[in-house]
Amino acid sequence: MEKKKVKLKDHLKEVGLFNRRLLVALLFVIVLTLMLILRLCYLQIIQHHLYTTLSEKNQVTLLPIAPNRGLIYDRNGVLIAQNVPVFNLEIIPDKVNNLEETIEKLSKIIELTPEDKEQFYKQLKQHRRFDTVPLKIKLNDDEVARFYVNQYRFPGVLISARLMRYYPLGASFSDILGYVGRINEKELNKIDQTNYAATNFIGKVGIEAYYEDQLHGEVGYQQVETDASGRIVRVLKRIPPKPGENLYLSVDSKLQLASEKALGDNFGAVVVIQPSTGEILAMASNPTYDPNLFVKGMTTKEYNALQNAPGRPLFNRSIRGQYAFGSTIKPFLALEALNAHAITKSYKIKDPGYFSLPGSSHVYRDWKRGGHGTVDVIKAITISCDTFFYTVGVKMGISHIHAILNDFGFGQLTGVDIGEEIPGLVPSPAWKHKAKGQPWYPGDTVISAIGQGYMLTTPLQLANGTAILSMRGHGFKPHFLTKWQDAQGKFHTKPPVTAPVVHADPQYWDIVIEGMQKVIQPGGTAARFGHTPYTVAGKTGTAQVYSTYGKGQDKNLPKHLRDNSLFIAFAPIDKPEIAVSVMAEHSKDAKMIARKVFDAYFEEEKEEKQKHETKSNDHSQSTH
Amino acid sequence: MKLNPTIILKAPISQREKMRKMNRTLSERIHIDFFLFFALLSLTALGLFVLYSASNGNSLLVFRQIARLGIAYFIMIIIAQIPPTKMRLWIPWIYLIGVLLLTAVLIIGDVGKGAQRWLDLGFIRFQPSEIMKLAIPMFVAWYLADRELPPSFIDLLVCAFIIAVPVLMTAKQPDLGTALMLAGTGAWVLFLAGMRWRLILLLLLAAAAAMPALWFMMHGYQRQRVLTFLNPESDPLGAGYHIIQSKIAIGSGGVFGKGWLNGTQSHLNFLPEHATDFIFAVLGEELGLVGGLVLLAIVTIIMLRGLYMSTQAQDTFTRLVSGSLILTFFLSIFINIGMVTGLLPVVGVPLPLFSYGGTSMVTLMASFGVLMSIHTHRRLVAK
């Protein structure tokens, strides 16, 4: 009984103890529940605003939309630079956990070359973490399909349909259009990063670079809701981009192709200018390169191979190739000699086949052994008499030579709208003193008079000078852009800009042009040019190549760089439509190349006329 | 004369039995506590609504959860039918089997998400540590039931051993969350049994002192979780991402929430694990503070009922068991919400009846089954 009593006591005590403990536990539960409630109040009331902002920031992103790059047309509306849709594999680095692993995994479904990866890592450094960086461009349909099947495995990786630049006529226009390429670090610092936020490509050289601002357009934006892996769930707002402006160039793609064809295997350049406007109708060179390669992107190896290929395809001869004038300088000097009254139309010399300065035994040879006999200014041009021009050059002096060449736009940038131009060189005593620290010797004047020595010009300058000559001094600045179409579809024309007028007595122009006309006639240096249905005035030239000016005379140059042939000409004489300059490296073909270019031009013109006539005939018939 | 007392005693008992059987309420007859049952049902319903949204309207997933819930409720009802006396007889064996299964897991267990927690029996895969959630408190209660309370030091040591073995084995898997819950369940029993306050304080101090040692025992990811808890913004895209996104979800919900199915954090996948451990963040985002308070209100009702039920228990064993089980339920709610709201470090503890997944739900409902059994059998126990 005693034991039972104790137990009973214990039992009560235990219940009491348990209930007390349960009460403590209840208090504990209440305190913890209150803690949770307070925590929720803190997050959902006090910090609500902050977290709402964060939540919106999470899902709403402002995505830039790249504007469509402006198209480029030739003078007849032929598309020469367009945009084609391509599928690119792109990565948002910020959304990818392990970049290397992701790329490794990607390479199992889409073939990635080491170059792709190299390009990607290069690009990676130039982009912000949350921008898309292209990993591989131009995926084929198979690759696109394979990626979409596996997309769930690759958060932060996406395929974007983009427009990529494409040059349908490829290599034929690379010297004019240049190309676009991926934006590099240097360019990144120059451009307006906001406007280029969605743009991957930028004009690097040529028209593409010169008119970059017009071609690029303005960036657009879309406010989108994205999920955690960066996929767009829906578009909330869209500010469309303003597309780039469409450019219309003066180039005639048919003539451009014909010029290229005329050059054939010759390394060289052809420039065709419309003298009445300064519009460049063709500017072809050989060898050249496919600008589409640059859009796609090349490896260093491929680039180096192209850079060092025979004839240096990347070298834009028309505007960067500096050549001695050779005899093409003569018409210009003849005009100046007449203008400066150093000679008259009837002024004659007896050509023994060489020239010596008074009191000097040094002999400057004529290209023809034994000389040309009695030579006046017209004949001097026609047969390209060196002795005549030695004499006349010395007679009028270097200052006149310098002045007239400057008037015709030599030795300075023509201001053509593709940039990268090189000015060439028209030497003067002041220049020589400054550049060489040497006085101007009379001998310098002698060789300058036949376009040798320090004299350097570019094919574009030659064509430009010829155009001014053909217009009898009233020329225009050479240019490509004639009109453009803005984002609203409105056309704007760019009127031609006149070049400084070269003043000379009308009869002096006649004399020079007569001499040039005779150049292509029997007895002239370009008699092989042959009979033409149109009137032509031209001038041949033979010249030596200098890689840089200031290298001195040509003696040390390798033989294969000698004797380039040059030819300048315009037609028809009374109302010039085209002025042409041709430069053929270590070849005598310049005049024959020019002939093909002229023929192509007038053939085309004839066809156009016939077409017009039949058209207008149809029209008149229908009206009657 | 020896037989007499039995004969005399037998008659009144059987009479009383009969009487009692006649007087028994419906609740006692089917061994279901309606109050608790409906409170659980409302919590379950709320949970399913949130899960539907958290799963992006995946009704298949919700149906699967409903099927699991059905099984869980069924098990609760079955267990509620078993008298506590029977449970008391079986519990040492259940504990023993549990420890053996834990050993088996460590040796041949399936690896899921980098931890060895599962035992594949061919037809079913389960986590033996879940059995321990019931076996530990019940076995400790079994041990203490016949002893004088408050427990002596020796008894406490034995209990500590009973608790420590499965806890350490679970921690070894490693499953820190469950190990923590197991330790908590055992601790509740000792606390309710009247373990001295001095000793409790001493243990807490010792635990605090042992923290550094624990640090070295932790796995890399466990350490990371603690570090992240201390400063989630230190690694916003790595380990801190969960907790930052979860806080954004809850905070942006405000008082009334963004509306059911309109949570951007979860639907746009910013919130990780939004159908499982972090489901409370979905509730917070879509139903706001109001939703959170409703949840806590239901939990409080369950707690009050559960605690009341344990005060009604008739002997030490059932008292300790029911008290510790209901408090364990609260603990798991608190740890989960505390972790999702950034009050506690991220330990993998699901939100009972909300989180998608089966095992822990079955255990939880089984513990409610035990609770109901104890309550509805109490007049039988009280002789």
Side-chain angles (χ1 to χ4, degrees), chain B residues 223-252:
Chain B
R223 282 186 201 174
Q224 192 58 54
R225 279 179 180 178
V226 176
L227 285 178
T228 304
F229 163 64
L230 294 175
N231 184 15
E233 277 74 19
S234 67
D235 187 10
L237 288 175
Y241 184 79
H242 281 55
I243 195 62
I244 290 174
Q245 293 301 336
S246 154
K247 275 157 77 179
I248 291 176
I250 295 170
S252 63

mmCIF file of all heavy atoms in Angstrom, chain B residues 223-252:
data_model
loop_
_atom_site.group_PDB
_atom_site.id
_atom_site.type_symbol
_atom_site.label_atom_id
_atom_site.label_comp_id
_atom_site.label_asym_id
_atom_site.label_seq_id
_atom_site.Cartn_x
_atom_site.Cartn_y
_atom_site.Cartn_z
ATOM 1 N N ARG B 223 28.889 23.525 -45.096
ATOM 2 C CA ARG B 223 29.590 24.729 -44.633
ATOM 3 C C ARG B 223 29.137 25.930 -45.449
ATOM 4 O O ARG B 223 28.883 27.003 -44.933
ATOM 5 C CB ARG B 223 31.089 24.569 -44.834
ATOM 6 C CG ARG B 223 31.719 23.716 -43.786
ATOM 7 C CD ARG B 223 33.219 23.745 -44.004
ATOM 8 N NE ARG B 223 33.818 22.582 -43.368
ATOM 9 C CZ ARG B 223 35.097 22.280 -43.479
ATOM 10 N NH1 ARG B 223 35.885 23.051 -44.202
ATOM 11 N NH2 ARG B 223 35.577 21.233 -42.880
ATOM 12 N N GLN B 224 29.055 25.698 -46.761
ATOM 13 C CA GLN B 224 28.664 26.783 -47.663
ATOM 14 C C GLN B 224 27.299 27.338 -47.260
ATOM 15 O O GLN B 224 27.070 28.537 -47.263
ATOM 16 C CB GLN B 224 28.620 26.251 -49.105
ATOM 17 C CG GLN B 224 28.509 27.338 -50.150
ATOM 18 C CD GLN B 224 29.662 28.314 -50.046
ATOM 19 O OE1 GLN B 224 30.817 27.947 -50.068
ATOM 20 N NE2 GLN B 224 29.329 29.595 -49.910
ATOM 21 N N ARG B 225 26.406 26.413 -46.894
ATOM 22 C CA ARG B 225 25.068 26.850 -46.508
ATOM 23 C C ARG B 225 25.119 27.758 -45.291
ATOM 24 O O ARG B 225 24.432 28.753 -45.214
ATOM 25 C CB ARG B 225 24.201 25.633 -46.190
ATOM 26 C CG ARG B 225 23.638 24.977 -47.420
ATOM 27 C CD ARG B 225 22.838 23.780 -46.997
ATOM 28 N NE ARG B 225 22.257 23.103 -48.146
ATOM 29 C CZ ARG B 225 21.545 21.993 -48.038
ATOM 30 N NH1 ARG B 225 21.355 21.462 -46.856
ATOM 31 N NH2 ARG B 225 21.025 21.433 -49.104
ATOM 32 N N VAL B 226 25.961 27.389 -44.353
ATOM 33 C CA VAL B 226 26.066 28.205 -43.144
ATOM 34 C C VAL B 226 26.646 29.568 -43.501
ATOM 35 O O VAL B 226 26.131 30.611 -43.102
ATOM 36 C CB VAL B 226 26.930 27.492 -42.089
ATOM 37 C CG1 VAL B 226 27.106 28.384 -40.872
ATOM 38 C CG2 VAL B 226 26.299 26.171 -41.691
ATOM 39 N N LEU B 227 27.698 29.545 -44.305
ATOM 40 C CA LEU B 227 28.326 30.806 -44.720
ATOM 41 C C LEU B 227 27.328 31.677 -45.468
ATOM 42 O O LEU B 227 27.222 32.876 -45.248
ATOM 43 C CB LEU B 227 29.535 30.529 -45.626
ATOM 44 C CG LEU B 227 30.782 30.019 -44.919
ATOM 45 C CD1 LEU B 227 31.865 29.746 -45.960
ATOM 46 C CD2 LEU B 227 31.264 31.042 -43.896
ATOM 47 N N THR B 228 26.589 31.016 -46.354
ATOM 48 C CA THR B 228 25.614 31.745 -47.147
ATOM 49 C C THR B 228 24.526 32.335 -46.256
ATOM 50 O O THR B 228 24.069 33.441 -46.463
ATOM 51 C CB THR B 228 24.975 30.798 -48.166
ATOM 52 O OG1 THR B 228 26.008 30.231 -48.932
ATOM 53 C CG2 THR B 228 24.026 31.540 -49.075
ATOM 54 N N PHE B 229 24.159 31.550 -45.248
ATOM 55 C CA PHE B 229 23.140 32.055 -44.331
ATOM 56 C C PHE B 229 23.630 33.322 -43.649
ATOM 57 O O PHE B 229 22.916 34.307 -43.524
ATOM 58 C CB PHE B 229 22.828 30.995 -43.280
ATOM 59 C CG PHE B 229 22.120 31.546 -42.075
ATOM 60 C CD1 PHE B 229 20.851 32.093 -42.221
ATOM 61 C CD2 PHE B 229 22.713 31.556 -40.834
ATOM 62 C CE1 PHE B 229 20.196 32.621 -41.119
ATOM 63 C CE2 PHE B 229 22.064 32.083 -39.741
ATOM 64 C CZ PHE B 229 20.801 32.619 -39.871
ATOM 65 N N LEU B 230 24.896 33.304 -43.260
ATOM 66 C CA LEU B 230 25.431 34.460 -42.555
ATOM 67 C C LEU B 230 25.483 35.684 -43.460
ATOM 68 O O LEU B 230 25.286 36.797 -43.027
ATOM 69 C CB LEU B 230 26.823 34.132 -42.005
ATOM 70 C CG LEU B 230 26.798 33.052 -40.917
ATOM 71 C CD1 LEU B 230 28.206 32.673 -40.504
ATOM 72 C CD2 LEU B 230 25.996 33.528 -39.706
ATOM 73 N N ASN B 231 25.744 35.454 -44.756
ATOM 74 C CA ASN B 231 25.785 36.588 -45.672
ATOM 75 C C ASN B 231 25.406 36.150 -47.084
ATOM 76 O O ASN B 231 26.256 35.877 -47.907
ATOM 77 C CB ASN B 231 27.184 37.223 -45.656
ATOM 78 C CG ASN B 231 27.240 38.455 -46.527
ATOM 79 O OD1 ASN B 231 26.193 38.990 -46.917
ATOM 80 N ND2 ASN B 231 28.430 38.906 -46.851
ATOM 81 N N PRO B 232 24.117 36.095 -47.353
ATOM 82 C CA PRO B 232 23.668 35.574 -48.648
ATOM 83 C C PRO B 232 24.149 36.413 -49.828
ATOM 84 O O PRO B 232 24.419 35.894 -50.902
ATOM 85 C CB PRO B 232 22.143 35.596 -48.563
ATOM 86 C CG PRO B 232 21.783 36.307 -47.312
ATOM 87 C CD PRO B 232 23.000 36.472 -46.475
ATOM 88 N N GLU B 233 24.277 37.721 -49.605
ATOM 89 C CA GLU B 233 24.661 38.584 -50.725
ATOM 90 C C GLU B 233 26.106 38.382 -51.158
ATOM 91 O O GLU B 233 26.527 38.887 -52.184
ATOM 92 C CB GLU B 233 24.424 40.057 -50.373
ATOM 93 C CG GLU B 233 22.982 40.520 -50.598
ATOM 94 C CD GLU B 233 22.023 39.989 -49.543
ATOM 95 O OE1 GLU B 233 22.498 39.590 -48.466
ATOM 96 O OE2 GLU B 233 20.810 39.954 -49.805
ATOM 97 N N SER B 234 26.871 37.609 -50.365
ATOM 98 C CA SER B 234 28.284 37.412 -50.700
ATOM 99 C C SER B 234 28.434 36.598 -51.978
ATOM 100 O O SER B 234 29.421 36.697 -52.662
ATOM 101 C CB SER B 234 28.994 36.707 -49.556
ATOM 102 O OG SER B 234 28.489 35.392 -49.433
ATOM 103 N N ASP B 235 27.432 35.818 -52.289
ATOM 104 C CA ASP B 235 27.543 34.943 -53.454
ATOM 105 C C ASP B 235 26.186 34.894 -54.156
ATOM 106 O O ASP B 235 25.506 33.875 -54.135
ATOM 107 C CB ASP B 235 27.977 33.541 -52.998
ATOM 108 C CG ASP B 235 28.262 32.638 -54.179
ATOM 109 O OD1 ASP B 235 28.307 33.151 -55.319
ATOM 110 O OD2 ASP B 235 28.412 31.427 -53.966
ATOM 111 N N PRO B 236 25.773 36.017 -54.759
ATOM 112 C CA PRO B 236 24.387 36.129 -55.233
ATOM 113 C C PRO B 236 24.028 35.127 -56.326
ATOM 114 O O PRO B 236 22.872 34.785 -56.475
ATOM 115 C CB PRO B 236 24.294 37.557 -55.747
ATOM 116 C CG PRO B 236 25.690 37.967 -55.999
ATOM 117 C CD PRO B 236 26.539 37.226 -55.024
ATOM 118 N N LEU B 237 25.010 34.654 -57.078
ATOM 119 C CA LEU B 237 24.652 33.733 -58.162
ATOM 120 C C LEU B 237 24.957 32.291 -57.792
ATOM 121 O O LEU B 237 24.565 31.367 -58.462
ATOM 122 C CB LEU B 237 25.392 34.109 -59.445
ATOM 123 C CG LEU B 237 24.857 35.393 -60.091
ATOM 124 C CD1 LEU B 237 25.715 35.766 -61.270
ATOM 125 C CD2 LEU B 237 23.416 35.233 -60.514
ATOM 126 N N GLY B 238 25.688 32.106 -56.715
ATOM 127 C CA GLY B 238 26.021 30.752 -56.305
ATOM 128 C C GLY B 238 25.100 30.312 -55.192
ATOM 129 O O GLY B 238 23.889 30.250 -55.330
ATOM 130 N N ALA B 239 25.715 30.040 -54.039
ATOM 131 C CA ALA B 239 24.961 29.470 -52.927
ATOM 132 C C ALA B 239 23.925 30.439 -52.362
ATOM 133 O O ALA B 239 22.904 30.025 -51.829
ATOM 134 C CB ALA B 239 25.929 29.045 -51.835
ATOM 135 N N GLY B 240 24.192 31.753 -52.484
ATOM 136 C CA GLY B 240 23.249 32.711 -51.926
ATOM 137 C C GLY B 240 22.020 32.925 -52.781
ATOM 138 O O GLY B 240 21.049 33.535 -52.361
ATOM 139 N N TYR B 241 22.054 32.392 -53.970
ATOM 140 C CA TYR B 241 20.981 32.612 -54.940
ATOM 141 C C TYR B 241 19.628 32.174 -54.408
ATOM 142 O O TYR B 241 18.662 32.920 -54.467
ATOM 143 C CB TYR B 241 21.320 31.870 -56.229
ATOM 144 C CG TYR B 241 20.328 32.088 -57.345
ATOM 145 C CD1 TYR B 241 20.368 33.258 -58.092
ATOM 146 C CD2 TYR B 241 19.363 31.136 -57.646
ATOM 147 C CE1 TYR B 241 19.465 33.469 -59.114
ATOM 148 C CE2 TYR B 241 18.457 31.335 -58.661
ATOM 149 C CZ TYR B 241 18.514 32.498 -59.400
ATOM 150 O OH TYR B 241 17.620 32.701 -60.410
ATOM 151 N N HIS B 242 19.574 30.968 -53.835
ATOM 152 C CA HIS B 242 18.322 30.430 -53.319
ATOM 153 C C HIS B 242 17.648 31.415 -52.380
ATOM 154 O O HIS B 242 16.502 31.782 -52.550
ATOM 155 C CB HIS B 242 18.584 29.142 -52.516
ATOM 156 C CG HIS B 242 18.799 27.934 -53.363
ATOM 157 N ND1 HIS B 242 19.752 27.894 -54.336
ATOM 158 C CD2 HIS B 242 18.179 26.735 -53.364
ATOM 159 C CE1 HIS B 242 19.716 26.703 -54.913
ATOM 160 N NE2 HIS B 242 18.764 25.982 -54.355
ATOM 161 N N ILE B 243 18.434 31.821 -51.394
ATOM 162 C CA ILE B 243 17.832 32.591 -50.324
ATOM 163 C C ILE B 243 17.487 34.003 -50.788
ATOM 164 O O ILE B 243 16.455 34.561 -50.417
ATOM 165 C CB ILE B 243 18.754 32.570 -49.067
ATOM 166 C CG1 ILE B 243 17.972 33.058 -47.866
ATOM 167 C CG2 ILE B 243 20.032 33.318 -49.246
ATOM 168 C CD1 ILE B 243 16.789 32.176 -47.527
ATOM 169 N N ILE B 244 18.331 34.574 -51.663
ATOM 170 C CA ILE B 244 18.027 35.916 -52.181
ATOM 171 C C ILE B 244 16.734 35.883 -52.987
ATOM 172 O O ILE B 244 15.819 36.697 -52.789
ATOM 173 C CB ILE B 244 19.196 36.428 -53.053
ATOM 174 C CG1 ILE B 244 20.396 36.736 -52.176
ATOM 175 C CG2 ILE B 244 18.777 37.682 -53.807
ATOM 176 C CD1 ILE B 244 21.638 37.095 -52.961
ATOM 177 N N GLN B 245 16.644 34.903 -53.885
ATOM 178 C CA GLN B 245 15.457 34.824 -54.738
ATOM 179 C C GLN B 245 14.216 34.539 -53.911
ATOM 180 O O GLN B 245 13.131 35.036 -54.202
ATOM 181 C CB GLN B 245 15.643 33.740 -55.803
ATOM 182 C CG GLN B 245 16.723 34.050 -56.819
ATOM 183 C CD GLN B 245 16.477 35.342 -57.570
ATOM 184 O OE1 GLN B 245 15.355 35.805 -57.695
ATOM 185 N NE2 GLN B 245 17.537 35.957 -58.054
ATOM 186 N N SER B 246 14.397 33.738 -52.868
ATOM 187 C CA SER B 246 13.260 33.404 -52.025
ATOM 188 C C SER B 246 12.773 34.642 -51.263
ATOM 189 O O SER B 246 11.577 34.897 -51.154
ATOM 190 C CB SER B 246 13.684 32.281 -51.082
ATOM 191 O OG SER B 246 12.931 32.299 -49.924
ATOM 192 N N LYS B 247 13.715 35.437 -50.770
ATOM 193 C CA LYS B 247 13.330 36.659 -50.077
ATOM 194 C C LYS B 247 12.669 37.645 -51.029
ATOM 195 O O LYS B 247 11.708 38.344 -50.671
ATOM 196 C CB LYS B 247 14.558 37.294 -49.404
ATOM 197 C CG LYS B 247 14.827 36.709 -48.025
ATOM 198 C CD LYS B 247 16.267 36.886 -47.597
ATOM 199 C CE LYS B 247 16.596 38.272 -47.124
ATOM 200 N NZ LYS B 247 18.020 38.359 -46.706
ATOM 201 N N ILE B 248 13.191 37.706 -52.250
ATOM 202 C CA ILE B 248 12.572 38.597 -53.250
ATOM 203 C C ILE B 248 11.132 38.155 -53.497
ATOM 204 O O ILE B 248 10.214 38.977 -53.553
ATOM 205 C CB ILE B 248 13.378 38.579 -54.574
ATOM 206 C CG1 ILE B 248 14.737 39.247 -54.387
ATOM 207 C CG2 ILE B 248 12.604 39.289 -55.680
ATOM 208 C CD1 ILE B 248 15.635 39.185 -55.598
ATOM 209 N N ALA B 249 10.946 36.832 -53.611
ATOM 210 C CA ALA B 249 9.608 36.317 -53.876
ATOM 211 C C ALA B 249 8.650 36.720 -52.757
ATOM 212 O O ALA B 249 7.593 37.308 -53.002
ATOM 213 C CB ALA B 249 9.641 34.803 -54.022
ATOM 214 N N ILE B 250 9.060 36.437 -51.530
ATOM 215 C CA ILE B 250 8.176 36.719 -50.397
ATOM 216 C C ILE B 250 7.968 38.224 -50.244
ATOM 217 O O ILE B 250 6.841 38.709 -50.129
ATOM 218 C CB ILE B 250 8.768 36.115 -49.105
ATOM 219 C CG1 ILE B 250 8.807 34.595 -49.221
ATOM 220 C CG2 ILE B 250 7.945 36.534 -47.900
ATOM 221 C CD1 ILE B 250 9.581 33.910 -48.132
ATOM 222 N N GLY B 251 9.067 38.975 -50.284
ATOM 223 C CA GLY B 251 8.982 40.420 -50.080
ATOM 224 C C GLY B 251 8.132 41.099 -51.129
ATOM 225 O O GLY B 251 7.329 41.987 -50.832
ATOM 226 N N SER B 252 8.283 40.663 -52.386
ATOM 227 C CA SER B 252 7.525 41.322 -53.452
ATOM 228 C C SER B 252 6.044 40.937 -53.400
ATOM 229 O O SER B 252 5.217 41.580 -54.033
ATOM 230 C CB SER B 252 8.115 40.979 -54.824
ATOM 231 O OG SER B 252 8.001 39.595 -55.061
#
